[in-house]
């Protein structure tokens, strides 16, 4: 079974004791590590955990209810469009 993939923007900041990372588009998903590779791995794991937990909570909320579930798409604007 093929899994869906979504691209996000990870940002890593050099800190006194390693790196701090966060996902621009997902508030609250952040990590740290002694190396950028460790911060990257931790950020990936954190994002996967949050997505899994949010999906599980949604499943609980809608269990037994008549719902419509569908994909939706976002138009990503260029940075220059955001400033206008």
């Amino acid at each position: 079974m093929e899994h869906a993939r979504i691209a996000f923007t990870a940002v890593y900041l050099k800190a006194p004791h390693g790196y701090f990372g966060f996902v621009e588009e997902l508030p609250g998903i952040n990590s740290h590590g002694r190396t950028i590779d460790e911060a990257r791995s931790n950020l990936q794991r954190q994002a996967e955990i949050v997505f899994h937990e949010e999906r599980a909570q949604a499943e609980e909320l809608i269990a037994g209810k008549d719902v419509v579930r569908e994909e939706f798409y976002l138009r990503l604007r260029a940075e220059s469009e955001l400033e206008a």
Side-chain angles (χ1 to χ4, degrees), residues 21-40:
F22 66 93
V23 179
E24 284 185 347
E25 302 87 356
L26 300 172
I29 297 183
N30 53 66
S31 73
H32 66 281
R34 290 183 302 272
T35 66
I36 195 166
D37 287 337
E38 185 178 353
R40 186 178 291 122

Side-chain angles (χ1 to χ4, degrees), residues 1-50:
M1 179 173 152
E2 190 173 321
H3 296 280
R5 291 173 42 113
I6 303 171
F8 296 104
T9 308
V11 177
Y12 301 96
L13 303 167
K14 181 78 170 116
H17 300 289
Y19 288 85
F20 170 78
F22 66 93
V23 179
E24 284 185 347
E25 302 87 356
L26 300 172
I29 297 183
N30 53 66
S31 73
H32 66 281
R34 290 183 302 272
T35 66
I36 195 166
D37 287 337
E38 185 178 353
R40 186 178 291 122
S41 177
N42 291 341
L43 190 63
Q44 177 77 29
R45 188 170 40 254
Q46 180 69 21
E48 289 172 358
I49 289 168
V50 169

